[in-house]
Amino acid sequence: MRVPMIAGNWKMNTTVSEAIELVNEMRQGLDEIDNVDRVICPPFISLAPVKELLRGSSIKLGAQNIYFEEKGAYTGEISPLMLADLCEFVIIGHSERRQYFNETGEIVDKKVKAALKVGLKPILCIGERLEENEAGRTEEVLTEQLSSSSARIYYFSGLILAYEPIWAIGTGKAATGKQANETIGFIRQHISKQYGKGIAQDVRILYGGSVTAENIAEFINQPEVDGALVGGASLKAAQFLSIVKQTSGIRQVR
Ligand code: PGA
């Protein structure tokens, strides 16, 4: 069963007081919608106060990153154990981390495993660069990003995938609904071939990249798209609420 999901990735935005203000603006509206999983991913330092604020709410909380070791001399890092009782989800392998912080496939894989070990649900981001897309290499790149010797356990453990073409992130140039559907269909087919149809039918795969209240319907109307990972538009309460509301109206559990 695939419950639609809208996750807001706040990236490196909002101070603690701004985060609290933003949650206060959206909380009531988001709580009224219960057929969509609503996840917000504020910066690390806002997780604890936002968790407090969300007491009694059905809005779920996620982190934006994680380190793969449990504890120790890793100055500045945040471990899976530290997050486990603060939030339910964690974004892993976002293209900004791969690009600016040199996260390789191997590191991403370690992070996914470390998250699963403590019961955090990873939202694993994959996606191709513009030049890879233009060279017709999208499927090859995604296959590579999905290939891990331990990938089988990913899908049995509630992992969520987010297909985010890098050329669409923060550019205002979203993919079309048709493109997202085709590529997510390819990803599901790949999982089906490797690990079986049952698993492939259960894995939620989101689209991400310049999703707004104006274009969300185009994505949600596609049969393969289970929701969205939203960056910029998740920082505006009215936009985010509208995205979730439209999703709720269009998409039922599959
Ligand atoms: P965007 O970001 O919606 O601002 O394009 C999406 C993401 O990076 O997850």
Side-chain angles (χ1 to χ4, degrees), residues 7 9 11 91 94-96 125 164 168-172 208-212 229-234:
N9 174 11
K11 308 193 181 184
I91 298 171
H94 191 281
S95 65
E96 285 150 17
C125 301
E164 299 205 301
I169 297 178
T171 58
S210 296
V211 170
T212 62
L229 181 55
V230 185
S234 71

